[in-house]
Amino acid sequence: QVQLVESGGGSVQSGGSLRLSCTASGDTFSSYCKAWFRQGPGKEREGVAGITPDGSTFYADSVKGRFTISQDNAKNTLYLQMNSLKPEDTAMFFCAAAPWCAHLSTYLLSNANYNYWGQGTQVTVSS
């Protein structure tokens, strides 16, 4: 069992930056596949970025070059650095983890492949 807690959300102006954190407790988080998802108002949950235990990263096209996913296994923490934020990035952001993995973007960014979820942290970007 893994418990995930996100933090770092907030309100920023367009072009600003935020860093989200997801701290895990429970099982050995370092061996898990992890990802960030978001769900905007009236939208379905979508994968934003994923990372494998060996550090391979995958991104949705909409955030490539702006967002960076990383992990600190010693701290059991997953991060999402978000730069050049846009109003369309406004959403509830969730971290997710699973004890299985595949080095495929379509796999890592699909919410069906994760069984542990945090409660979410709100990101609001104003124009």
Side-chain angles (χ1 to χ4, degrees):
Q1 290 286 333
V2 172
Q3 294 78 43
L4 305 175
V5 178
E6 302 97 334
S7 61
S11 297
V12 296
Q13 290 191 326
S14 182
S17 298
L18 283 173
R19 188 175 82 155
L20 306 183
S21 299
C22 173
T23 301
S25 60
D27 204 353
T28 307
F29 194 52
S30 61
S31 64
Y32 281 47
C33 217
K34 314 168 194 68
W36 287 97
F37 289 80
R38 66 184 179 187
Q39 188 165 15
K43 298 181 180 179
E44 293 186 354
R45 189 172 298 188
E46 63 172 351
V48 173
I51 188 166
T52 62
D54 64 3
S56 297
T57 57
F58 301 84
Y59 297 93
D61 288 342
S62 59
V63 305
K64 280 181 182 176
R66 300 190 299 124
F67 290 11
T68 302
I69 188 172
S70 62
Q71 59 190 353
D72 186 333
N73 291 329
K75 295 183 178 180
N76 258 12
T77 302
L78 177 71
Y79 301 101
L80 185 68
Q81 177 66 45
M82 304 186 294
N83 299 327
S84 303
L85 283 162
K86 305 174 182 180
E88 50 264 43
D89 293 318
T90 294
M92 184 72 79
F93 280 72
F94 301 87
C95 66
W100 44 76
C101 216
H103 286 65
L104 292 171
S105 177
T106 52
Y107 183 95
L108 281 165
L109 301 183
S110 171
N111 57 16
N113 294 321
Y114 294 88
N115 58 335
Y116 296 113
W117 292 86
Q119 82 290 348
T121 185
Q122 179 67 38
V123 172
T124 302
V125 185
S126 58
S127 57

